[in-house]
Amino acid sequence: MLWLHLGMPKTGTTALQGFLRDNSSALADAGLHYMEAGRRRLEGKTRLVMSHNIIAFHINQTNEPMDPFRAAMTSEFDDHADRTCLVSSEMFYSVDLERLAQVFAEIPARALRITFYCRRYSDFFEADYKQRAKNGRLVNAGSGYIKAQLAQIEANPAQYSFAAKVADIRTAFPGVTVVPMLYDRAEMTNGHVVADFLTRVGTPVADDLMGQQPANPSQSRAASEAFGIVTRAMGRRKSRQLRRTTLDFPVMVRRNDVLEPDERAWLDDYMAGQDLSFQREFFPDRHSLFSQVELSAQEQAFRRDTPQEYEALRKASEIVFRLALEAQP
């Protein structure tokens, strides 16, 4: 069996891939083979990278055929057909699936499972916003951008719809079995994506191998926007280095500070309505796709354009800019 893991983005994919790379021997004993095809560059470099993003880069950046990847993938799968094989890249979630399917064209559909984690719509919106902000990709961040994004989702809900994604997968991979998973730490095996994923694909590992897998704290919107300025001025590498040193400051860590409560409720309700068929097919025993979220009183009172939020941005910016200056040689 070959599992093709598509992400989605912001669902612990990097943590999973790091564990897969660092524990290949133990995972082999458990019956899992993390495919090397697609983790090694076509031009002959021998170093294996952590994920299969190389395939996604090839799809997104070139018009070259997928034949070399297909040949390597087919050959390696044939050599390990008695094991659970795995290919993983969160970039696959948004690539041209027709081209991706060419990589697996010689592997029978009955031997292929395609999976992805589904994250609560509002949580993904927040995580995506913060990722874009700290990477310097939101020059005009804030309420204007957020309201425009919500309007775009209302006009074109397919971009956030799990039902639409399954339809795209089935068009590109006829006859394949699709296995969505829910990204909810409270319901995951051991409360962590790595243990949960490996259990769900049938290759659980011993608890002592897993060790402690703490969740990463959520960087605040103010911190993300401040780091975006540093990213544009100094580059992503320096920004990433600085981000590791700021978690002791309360203003730098916060959740539920992108969407206001009514926006969050609207997005989750609107997209749940779009995905009713998806829920009924894959999670028929659930009352709703995602469990109810109870916001704290402080989170219920959150509004973006207030003096308190501008003060948070000022404090976060001072911390980030001071650290950037201190890091200069």
Short mmCIF file of all heavy atoms in Angstrom, two decimals, residues 7-52:
data_model
loop_
_atom_site.label_atom_id
_atom_site.label_comp_id
_atom_site.label_asym_id
_atom_site.label_seq_id
_atom_site.Cartn_x
_atom_site.Cartn_y
_atom_site.Cartn_z
N GLY A 7 -1.02 16.92 3.00
CA GLY A 7 -1.05 18.04 3.95
C GLY A 7 -2.31 17.94 4.80
O GLY A 7 -2.54 16.92 5.42
N MET A 8 -3.22 18.94 4.77
CA MET A 8 -3.15 20.23 4.17
C MET A 8 -2.14 21.11 4.91
O MET A 8 -1.61 20.69 5.94
CB MET A 8 -4.54 20.90 4.19
CG MET A 8 -5.14 21.08 5.57
SD MET A 8 -6.82 21.82 5.62
CE MET A 8 -6.57 23.47 4.98
N PRO A 9 -1.82 22.31 4.38
CA PRO A 9 -0.89 23.18 5.10
C PRO A 9 -1.38 23.50 6.51
O PRO A 9 -2.58 23.51 6.79
CB PRO A 9 -0.88 24.44 4.22
CG PRO A 9 -1.24 23.96 2.85
CD PRO A 9 -2.22 22.85 3.07
N LYS A 10 -0.41 23.74 7.40
CA LYS A 10 -0.68 24.13 8.79
C LYS A 10 -1.38 23.02 9.57
O LYS A 10 -2.23 23.28 10.42
CB LYS A 10 -1.48 25.43 8.87
CG LYS A 10 -0.98 26.55 7.98
CD LYS A 10 0.51 26.82 8.13
CE LYS A 10 0.90 27.27 9.50
NZ LYS A 10 2.38 27.53 9.63
N THR A 11 -1.00 21.76 9.30
CA THR A 11 -1.56 20.64 10.06
C THR A 11 -0.45 19.71 10.56
O THR A 11 -0.64 18.50 10.62
CB THR A 11 -2.58 19.84 9.22
OG1 THR A 11 -1.93 19.37 8.01
CG2 THR A 11 -3.79 20.67 8.85
N GLY A 12 0.68 20.28 10.94
CA GLY A 12 1.74 19.48 11.53
C GLY A 12 2.54 18.65 10.55
O GLY A 12 3.25 17.72 10.96
N THR A 13 2.48 18.98 9.27
CA THR A 13 3.17 18.17 8.26
C THR A 13 4.67 18.16 8.46
O THR A 13 5.32 17.12 8.33
CB THR A 13 2.82 18.68 6.85
OG1 THR A 13 1.41 18.79 6.71
CG2 THR A 13 3.37 17.75 5.78
N THR A 14 5.25 19.32 8.79
CA THR A 14 6.70 19.39 8.97
C THR A 14 7.15 18.53 10.14
O THR A 14 8.17 17.84 10.07
CB THR A 14 7.14 20.85 9.17
OG1 THR A 14 6.74 21.63 8.03
CG2 THR A 14 8.65 20.95 9.32
N ALA A 15 6.39 18.54 11.24
CA ALA A 15 6.73 17.70 12.39
C ALA A 15 6.68 16.23 12.01
O ALA A 15 7.56 15.44 12.40
CB ALA A 15 5.77 17.99 13.54
N LEU A 16 5.68 15.85 11.25
CA LEU A 16 5.56 14.46 10.80
C LEU A 16 6.75 14.08 9.93
O LEU A 16 7.38 13.03 10.14
CB LEU A 16 4.26 14.28 10.03
CG LEU A 16 4.08 12.93 9.32
CD1 LEU A 16 4.04 11.79 10.33
CD2 LEU A 16 2.81 12.94 8.46
N GLN A 17 7.08 14.91 8.97
CA GLN A 17 8.17 14.59 8.05
C GLN A 17 9.51 14.53 8.76
O GLN A 17 10.36 13.69 8.45
CB GLN A 17 8.20 15.62 6.92
CG GLN A 17 6.98 15.54 6.00
CD GLN A 17 6.77 16.79 5.19
OE1 GLN A 17 7.38 17.84 5.44
NE2 GLN A 17 5.90 16.71 4.20
N GLY A 18 9.73 15.42 9.73
CA GLY A 18 10.97 15.37 10.50
C GLY A 18 11.10 14.07 11.27
O GLY A 18 12.18 13.46 11.33
N PHE A 19 9.99 13.61 11.85
CA PHE A 19 10.01 12.33 12.57
C PHE A 19 10.29 11.18 11.62
O PHE A 19 11.06 10.26 11.94
CB PHE A 19 8.67 12.13 13.28
CG PHE A 19 8.63 10.90 14.14
CD1 PHE A 19 9.07 10.94 15.45
CD2 PHE A 19 8.16 9.70 13.64
CE1 PHE A 19 9.04 9.80 16.25
CE2 PHE A 19 8.12 8.55 14.42
CZ PHE A 19 8.57 8.61 15.73
N LEU A 20 9.67 11.20 10.46
CA LEU A 20 9.88 10.13 9.47
C LEU A 20 11.34 10.06 9.04
O LEU A 20 11.92 8.97 8.93
CB LEU A 20 8.99 10.36 8.26
CG LEU A 20 7.47 10.27 8.50
CD1 LEU A 20 6.72 10.77 7.27
CD2 LEU A 20 7.05 8.85 8.82
N ARG A 21 11.92 11.21 8.79
CA ARG A 21 13.32 11.24 8.35
C ARG A 21 14.26 10.76 9.46
O ARG A 21 15.22 10.01 9.19
CB ARG A 21 13.69 12.66 7.93
CG ARG A 21 15.16 12.84 7.51
CD ARG A 21 15.53 14.29 7.48
NE ARG A 21 15.34 14.93 8.79
CZ ARG A 21 15.46 16.23 8.99
NH1 ARG A 21 15.72 17.05 7.99
NH2 ARG A 21 15.27 16.74 10.21
N ASP A 22 14.00 11.18 10.69
CA ASP A 22 14.94 10.91 11.77
C ASP A 22 14.80 9.53 12.38
O ASP A 22 15.65 9.13 13.18
CB ASP A 22 14.76 11.96 12.88
CG ASP A 22 15.09 13.38 12.41
OD1 ASP A 22 15.78 13.51 11.38
OD2 ASP A 22 14.63 14.33 13.05
N ASN A 23 13.76 8.80 12.03
CA ASN A 23 13.51 7.49 12.66
C ASN A 23 13.25 6.40 11.62
O ASN A 23 12.42 5.52 11.82
CB ASN A 23 12.31 7.60 13.61
CG ASN A 23 12.56 8.54 14.77
OD1 ASN A 23 13.15 8.17 15.78
ND2 ASN A 23 12.11 9.78 14.62
N SER A 24 13.98 6.46 10.53
CA SER A 24 13.72 5.55 9.42
C SER A 24 13.91 4.09 9.80
O SER A 24 13.15 3.22 9.39
CB SER A 24 14.61 5.90 8.22
OG SER A 24 15.98 5.86 8.59
N SER A 25 14.91 3.79 10.63
CA SER A 25 15.17 2.39 11.00
C SER A 25 14.05 1.83 11.86
O SER A 25 13.54 0.73 11.61
CB SER A 25 16.50 2.28 11.75
OG SER A 25 17.58 2.65 10.92
N ALA A 26 13.63 2.58 12.87
CA ALA A 26 12.56 2.12 13.74
C ALA A 26 11.25 2.00 12.97
O ALA A 26 10.47 1.07 13.19
CB ALA A 26 12.40 3.07 14.92
N LEU A 27 11.01 2.92 12.05
CA LEU A 27 9.79 2.87 11.26
C LEU A 27 9.81 1.68 10.31
O LEU A 27 8.77 1.07 10.04
CB LEU A 27 9.60 4.18 10.50
CG LEU A 27 9.27 5.38 11.39
CD1 LEU A 27 9.37 6.68 10.60
CD2 LEU A 27 7.88 5.23 12.00
N ALA A 28 11.00 1.35 9.80
CA ALA A 28 11.11 0.17 8.94
C ALA A 28 10.73 -1.09 9.72
O ALA A 28 10.05 -1.98 9.19
CB ALA A 28 12.52 0.06 8.38
N ASP A 29 11.14 -1.14 10.99
CA ASP A 29 10.77 -2.29 11.82
C ASP A 29 9.26 -2.36 12.03
O ASP A 29 8.69 -3.45 12.21
CB ASP A 29 11.47 -2.20 13.18
CG ASP A 29 12.98 -2.39 13.08
OD1 ASP A 29 13.43 -2.94 12.05
OD2 ASP A 29 13.70 -1.95 13.99
N ALA A 30 8.60 -1.18 12.01
CA ALA A 30 7.14 -1.14 12.18
C ALA A 30 6.41 -1.40 10.87
O ALA A 30 5.17 -1.47 10.85
CB ALA A 30 6.72 0.22 12.74
N GLY A 31 7.18 -1.53 9.76
CA GLY A 31 6.57 -1.84 8.48
C GLY A 31 6.32 -0.65 7.58
O GLY A 31 5.62 -0.77 6.57
N LEU A 32 6.90 0.51 7.91
CA LEU A 32 6.68 1.71 7.10
C LEU A 32 7.95 2.09 6.35
O LEU A 32 9.05 2.11 6.92
CB LEU A 32 6.23 2.88 7.97
CG LEU A 32 5.84 4.15 7.18
CD1 LEU A 32 4.60 4.79 7.80
CD2 LEU A 32 6.98 5.16 7.13
N HIS A 33 7.80 2.39 5.06
CA HIS A 33 8.91 2.84 4.23
C HIS A 33 8.61 4.24 3.72
O HIS A 33 7.64 4.44 2.99
CB HIS A 33 9.12 1.89 3.05
CG HIS A 33 10.17 2.37 2.08
ND1 HIS A 33 11.51 2.41 2.41
CD2 HIS A 33 10.07 2.84 0.81
CE1 HIS A 33 12.20 2.88 1.37
NE2 HIS A 33 11.35 3.15 0.40
N TYR A 34 9.44 5.21 4.14
CA TYR A 34 9.29 6.59 3.70
C TYR A 34 10.02 6.72 2.37
O TYR A 34 11.24 6.68 2.32
CB TYR A 34 9.86 7.53 4.74
CG TYR A 34 9.52 8.99 4.55
CD1 TYR A 34 8.29 9.39 4.01
CD2 TYR A 34 10.42 9.99 4.94
CE1 TYR A 34 7.98 10.73 3.86
CE2 TYR A 34 10.11 11.33 4.79
CZ TYR A 34 8.89 11.70 4.25
OH TYR A 34 8.59 13.03 4.08
N MET A 35 9.25 6.89 1.30
CA MET A 35 9.81 6.79 -0.05
C MET A 35 10.92 7.81 -0.29
O MET A 35 10.81 8.98 0.08
CB MET A 35 8.69 6.99 -1.07
CG MET A 35 7.60 5.93 -1.01
SD MET A 35 8.09 4.34 -1.70
CE MET A 35 7.88 4.67 -3.46
N GLU A 36 11.99 7.34 -0.94
CA GLU A 36 13.10 8.22 -1.28
C GLU A 36 12.86 8.92 -2.63
O GLU A 36 13.33 10.04 -2.83
CB GLU A 36 14.41 7.44 -1.33
CG GLU A 36 14.81 6.87 0.03
CD GLU A 36 16.17 6.21 0.00
OE1 GLU A 36 16.83 6.25 -1.06
OE2 GLU A 36 16.57 5.64 1.03
N ALA A 37 12.16 8.29 -3.53
CA ALA A 37 11.83 8.91 -4.82
C ALA A 37 11.05 10.19 -4.55
O ALA A 37 10.07 10.19 -3.81
CB ALA A 37 11.00 7.97 -5.68
N GLY A 38 11.51 11.29 -5.13
CA GLY A 38 10.88 12.56 -4.87
C GLY A 38 11.47 13.32 -3.71
O GLY A 38 11.15 14.49 -3.50
N ARG A 39 12.35 12.69 -2.95
CA ARG A 39 13.12 13.39 -1.91
C ARG A 39 14.57 13.57 -2.33
O ARG A 39 15.37 14.12 -1.58
CB ARG A 39 13.06 12.64 -0.58
CG ARG A 39 11.68 12.64 0.06
CD ARG A 39 11.74 12.28 1.53
NE ARG A 39 12.14 10.92 1.76
CZ ARG A 39 13.03 10.55 2.69
NH1 ARG A 39 13.64 11.46 3.44
NH2 ARG A 39 13.32 9.28 2.86
N ARG A 40 14.90 13.10 -3.50
CA ARG A 40 16.25 13.22 -4.03
C ARG A 40 16.16 13.96 -5.37
O ARG A 40 15.34 13.62 -6.22
CB ARG A 40 16.87 11.84 -4.23
CG ARG A 40 18.37 11.84 -4.29
CD ARG A 40 18.88 10.45 -4.61
NE ARG A 40 18.48 9.43 -3.66
CZ ARG A 40 19.11 9.20 -2.50
NH1 ARG A 40 20.13 9.94 -2.17
NH2 ARG A 40 18.69 8.24 -1.70
N ARG A 41 16.99 14.96 -5.58
CA ARG A 41 16.90 15.76 -6.78
C ARG A 41 17.25 14.95 -8.02
O ARG A 41 18.10 14.06 -7.99
CB ARG A 41 17.80 16.99 -6.68
CG ARG A 41 17.40 17.91 -5.54
CD ARG A 41 18.14 19.24 -5.59
NE ARG A 41 17.78 20.07 -4.45
CZ ARG A 41 16.68 20.82 -4.40
NH1 ARG A 41 15.85 20.84 -5.44
NH2 ARG A 41 16.42 21.55 -3.35
N LEU A 42 16.61 15.30 -9.13
CA LEU A 42 16.79 14.54 -10.36
C LEU A 42 18.20 14.66 -10.92
O LEU A 42 18.67 13.77 -11.61
CB LEU A 42 15.79 15.01 -11.41
CG LEU A 42 14.31 14.71 -11.12
CD1 LEU A 42 13.43 15.34 -12.19
CD2 LEU A 42 14.08 13.20 -11.06
N GLU A 43 18.89 15.79 -10.62
CA GLU A 43 20.20 15.99 -11.23
C GLU A 43 21.31 15.21 -10.56
O GLU A 43 22.48 15.43 -10.85
CB GLU A 43 20.55 17.49 -11.24
CG GLU A 43 20.52 18.15 -9.88
CD GLU A 43 19.18 18.81 -9.59
OE1 GLU A 43 18.16 18.34 -10.12
OE2 GLU A 43 19.17 19.79 -8.82
N GLY A 44 20.97 14.29 -9.66
CA GLY A 44 21.96 13.34 -9.18
C GLY A 44 22.50 13.61 -7.79
O GLY A 44 23.33 12.85 -7.29
N LYS A 45 22.05 14.69 -7.11
CA LYS A 45 22.51 14.92 -5.74
C LYS A 45 21.99 13.79 -4.85
O LYS A 45 20.86 13.38 -4.96
CB LYS A 45 22.03 16.27 -5.24
CG LYS A 45 22.63 17.45 -6.00
CD LYS A 45 22.16 18.77 -5.44
CE LYS A 45 22.76 19.94 -6.21
NZ LYS A 45 22.29 21.25 -5.70
N THR A 46 22.85 13.33 -3.95
CA THR A 46 22.49 12.14 -3.17
C THR A 46 21.78 12.46 -1.87
O THR A 46 21.16 11.57 -1.29
CB THR A 46 23.75 11.32 -2.86
OG1 THR A 46 24.69 12.15 -2.15
CG2 THR A 46 24.40 10.83 -4.14
N ARG A 47 21.85 13.70 -1.37
CA ARG A 47 21.28 14.01 -0.07
C ARG A 47 19.76 13.94 -0.14
O ARG A 47 19.12 14.55 -0.99
CB ARG A 47 21.71 15.41 0.39
CG ARG A 47 21.26 15.75 1.80
CD ARG A 47 21.81 17.10 2.22
NE ARG A 47 21.18 18.17 1.47
CZ ARG A 47 20.06 18.79 1.85
NH1 ARG A 47 19.44 18.40 2.95
NH2 ARG A 47 19.56 19.77 1.13
N LEU A 48 19.17 13.21 0.81
CA LEU A 48 17.73 13.12 0.89
C LEU A 48 17.19 14.30 1.69
O LEU A 48 17.68 14.60 2.77
CB LEU A 48 17.31 11.82 1.58
CG LEU A 48 17.40 10.54 0.75
CD1 LEU A 48 17.20 9.33 1.66
CD2 LEU A 48 16.36 10.55 -0.35
N VAL A 49 16.17 14.96 1.18
CA VAL A 49 15.53 16.03 1.91
C VAL A 49 14.38 15.47 2.74
O VAL A 49 14.04 14.28 2.63
CB VAL A 49 15.04 17.15 0.97
CG1 VAL A 49 16.22 17.79 0.26
CG2 VAL A 49 14.04 16.62 -0.05
N MET A 50 13.77 16.30 3.55
CA MET A 50 12.81 15.83 4.55
C MET A 50 11.48 15.44 3.93
O MET A 50 10.82 14.50 4.39
CB MET A 50 12.61 16.92 5.61
CG MET A 50 11.81 16.50 6.80
SD MET A 50 11.89 17.71 8.14
CE MET A 50 10.96 19.08 7.43
N SER A 51 11.05 16.17 2.89
CA SER A 51 9.72 15.97 2.33
C SER A 51 9.82 15.69 0.83
O SER A 51 10.91 15.68 0.26
CB SER A 51 8.85 17.21 2.55
OG SER A 51 9.29 18.26 1.70
N HIS A 52 8.66 15.52 0.20
CA HIS A 52 8.61 15.30 -1.24
C HIS A 52 8.26 16.58 -2.00
O HIS A 52 7.67 16.54 -3.08
CB HIS A 52 7.60 14.19 -1.56
CG HIS A 52 8.04 12.84 -1.08
ND1 HIS A 52 7.83 12.42 0.22
CD2 HIS A 52 8.68 11.83 -1.71
CE1 HIS A 52 8.34 11.19 0.36
NE2 HIS A 52 8.85 10.81 -0.78
#
